[in-house]
Amino acid sequence: MTAISPDGRTVAFVASDSAGKNQLWVRPLESLAPRPLPGTDNASIPFWSPDGRHIAFFADARLKKIPVDGGPPEALCEAPDGRGGSWGREGVIVFAPGATSPLFRVPASGGEPAQVTTLDSARHETGHRWPCFLPDGRRFVYLAAPSNTIWLGSLDAKETRRLLSAESQAQHV
């Protein structure tokens, strides 16, 4: 999975180095030379902070973040089998800790996650994943499985609203 920085100038992605070790890499679009971010072994599903100074990712059953300019990664919380996340402008990350879980929120500084969506058994939902914040930083879209339905959620309310059926995640551009 590839993630484009908020300013559109840098790409973050997971790739293998010459020894076959998977880790997080970044590449400015004006350059052909990517660079690895040390300490990101086993990284998956990167996503950017709104200011573009950090990248969040899943590795070793945790949600982590790392400064783009270097420094050690920081574990934010448990995430046994991450299925996407989004970092809001108010310092909150909404993420899916596993394939069969609702979405949770955690401060970008780390802490105890709090549930923000609820799986609906009447709709036979088995998981919520691939959240994406909208520009207001409070509302987000996400994919409900297995119905492949995009929903609108909010940090401020438990109610959700069905938006459309889709074969993939929704992404605000």
Side-chain angles (χ1 to χ4, degrees), residues 20 26-27 30 32 45 51-52 140 164:
V26 291
R27 183 180 77 90
E30 62 196 27
L32 295 177
I45 313 173
D51 63 8
F140 53 90
L164 60 115

Side-chain angles (χ1 to χ4, degrees), residues 136-160:
D136 65 11
R138 305 298 298 168
R139 295 176 303 146
F140 53 90
V141 292
Y142 64 93
L143 178 71
S147 65
N148 291 336
T149 305
I150 303 295
W151 291 83
L152 176 67
S154 173
L155 296 176
D156 301 318
K158 291 288 182 189
E159 294 81 32
T160 59

Side-chain angles (χ1 to χ4, degrees), residues 103-120:
L103 298 178
F104 286 77
R105 66 184 280 170
V106 68
S109 58
E112 188 65 33
Q115 188 172 330
V116 293
T117 63
T118 302
L119 299 178
D120 188 330

Side-chain angles (χ1 to χ4, degrees), residues 57-65 74-81 93-97 104-114:
F57 62 98
F58 298 93
D60 307 320
R62 289 180 169 68
L63 173 61
K64 300 180 177 186
K65 71 177 181 181
E74 178 184 342
L76 303 177
C77 65
E78 299 286 322
D81 188 24
I93 294 174
V94 171
F95 70 103
F104 286 77
R105 66 184 280 170
V106 68
S109 58
E112 188 65 33

Side-chain angles (χ1 to χ4, degrees), residues 1-5 10-17 21-29 31-37 40 42-48 55-57:
M1 181 170 232
T2 301
I4 300 172
S5 64
T10 307
V11 177
F13 57 95
V14 176
S16 298
D17 65 10
K21 179 173 61 173
N22 283 339
Q23 57 187 334
L24 194 58
W25 293 68
V26 291
R27 183 180 77 90
L29 293 178
S31 169
L32 295 177
R35 66 178 172 83
L37 294 177
T40 62
N42 305 313
S44 68
I45 313 173
F47 56 98
W48 291 84
I55 300 172
F57 62 98

